[in-house]
Amino acid sequence: MIYSFVRGPIEGKPDRKKSSMYEQIAGKFRSAMPEFPEDSNLDLGLGIKQIRLRMGMTQSELAKDAGMKPAALKTLENGYAKFTTTKNLEALAQALKMPLREILLESREWFPGNFFVTKLSEVPRENRKRRPKYREDIWFKQKPLAISGSQIALITPPLKAPSHYSFLIINIDAGKELRDLRLPYPNQVTGFVQRGSLKILYNGSRELNLFGNQGFSLQGDKTHHFINQDKDNPLQFCLAFS
């Protein structure tokens, strides 16, 4: 069941001056994982390779159909070349029978800084040996944050782009609470209680009690607090927002 605090159109301007718990979480995450890419980008070669493999084509076949030199396609797919010419991109799109926009969108999916923390990444150039057809898997492990009696696992990066979502798994110790959460914009915050007893105080005047296997939605720029009502057992819930 989804409970929602939002009723009708959003009115008024959000207050962006007040710092919030979301900003503290993002700041602590960046400090804990300074090596993790924050800005949105794309891995063009790996995106093209994944599409080619799904279509059952070899590198030689794709290069021939696109009128490219096999060596040029090989270096692009293996990550030694980051980009190619517009002419080559258009020829690859035609050979793969896929709009160029779709190729670029898939290539964004393969860049580790765009979505989930545990993403494929190429080996830093200074730390790798040049081996043909080789791309090492590097996984950015979760680093749970300890904040105010809570353990927060941020499994997506805190991106700047408002079109991307952040996803948290939050554990609140027995009888503890996580206060003063607020987004700088009136975007939706959606959650799902996995286990425990969650009390939400919203916008200073409304409250809701939720239990395992129940969900909620609220307007993120209104200050809200998450409280574990159980004095003996921890609370765990998921939270998604942009």
Side-chain angles (χ1 to χ4, degrees), residues 128-179:
R128 70 181 179 187
K129 296 180 180 179
R130 187 182 179 94
R131 284 184 278 178
K133 298 183 179 179
Y134 180 78
R135 183 191 290 261
E136 182 177 340
D137 290 1
I138 295 180
W139 298 95
F140 294 95
K141 297 181 179 179
Q142 293 180 22
K143 293 184 179 179
L145 309 175
I147 301 177
S148 303
S150 305
Q151 293 75 47
I152 302 174
L154 184 59
I155 60 174
T156 56
L159 294 179
K160 298 174 182 176
S163 60
H164 297 160
Y165 275 87
S166 292
F167 193 88
L168 310 176
I169 297 178
I170 301 176
N171 286 274
I172 300 181
D173 295 339
K176 300 293 185 179
E177 57 188 59
L178 193 60
R179 300 186 63 85

Side-chain angles (χ1 to χ4, degrees), residues 2-227:
I2 297 293
Y3 294 90
S4 176
F5 286 116
V6 180
R7 295 289 185 273
I10 296 170
E11 299 178 355
K13 295 182 179 180
D15 179 9
R16 300 185 181 92
K17 295 181 180 180
K18 184 180 177 182
S19 178
S20 75
M21 183 60 70
Y22 286 114
E23 292 170 312
Q24 293 183 43
I25 292 170
K28 285 180 176 290
F29 178 85
R30 292 187 182 102
S31 297
M33 299 186 70
E35 76 282 6
F36 193 80
E38 180 181 338
D39 293 326
S40 181
N41 212 319
L42 68 148
D43 192 323
L44 184 61
L46 193 53
I48 290 170
K49 181 177 182 179
Q50 296 302 317
I51 296 169
R52 174 180 64 77
L53 291 174
R54 286 203 306 270
M55 295 185 66
M57 299 176 71
T58 65
Q59 274 188 344
S60 298
E61 289 171 340
L62 179 56
K64 181 180 178 181
D65 290 350
M68 289 180 63
K69 293 182 179 180
L73 179 60
K74 182 178 180 180
T75 57
L76 183 63
E77 286 194 356
N78 291 345
Y80 298 121
K82 297 297 182 186
F83 299 98
T84 187
T85 65
T86 302
K87 181 180 178 181
N88 282 342
L89 276 177
E90 292 172 345
L92 285 167
Q94 185 174 357
L96 292 168
K97 297 179 175 60
M98 177 175 288
L100 180 55
R101 178 177 181 275
E102 296 298 321
I103 294 175
L104 296 177
L105 287 175
E106 175 141 352
S107 298
R108 288 182 62 190
E109 288 280 358
W110 288 98
F111 186 77
N114 289 348
F115 296 96
F116 295 99
V117 172
T118 49
K119 270 285 191 178
L120 177 68
S121 173
E122 70 167 335
V123 182
R125 189 171 296 278
E126 64 274 12
N127 296 331
R128 70 181 179 187
K129 296 180 180 179
R130 187 182 179 94
R131 284 184 278 178
K133 298 183 179 179
Y134 180 78
R135 183 191 290 261
E136 182 177 340
D137 290 1
I138 295 180
W139 298 95
F140 294 95
K141 297 181 179 179
Q142 293 180 22
K143 293 184 179 179
L145 309 175
I147 301 177
S148 303
S150 305
Q151 293 75 47
I152 302 174
L154 184 59
I155 60 174
T156 56
L159 294 179
K160 298 174 182 176
S163 60
H164 297 160
Y165 275 87
S166 292
F167 193 88
L168 310 176
I169 297 178
I170 301 176
N171 286 274
I172 300 181
D173 295 339
K176 300 293 185 179
E177 57 188 59
L178 193 60
R179 300 186 63 85
D180 298 319
L181 290 109
R182 185 191 56 81
L183 295 176
Y185 298 97
N187 296 338
Q188 294 288 295
V189 173
T190 301
F192 180 81
V193 181
Q194 294 177 289
R195 65 171 180 267
S197 176
L198 170 64
K199 181 177 182 178
I200 303 175
L201 298 181
Y202 174 75
N203 202 26
S205 60
R206 307 185 67 176
E207 67 176 63
L208 183 70
N209 297 310
L210 292 162
F211 304 94
N213 205 35
Q214 291 185 318
F216 61 90
S217 175
L218 54 87
Q219 186 176 311
D221 65 324
K222 305 298 182 183
T223 301
H224 43 284
H225 316 292
F226 296 125
I227 302 168

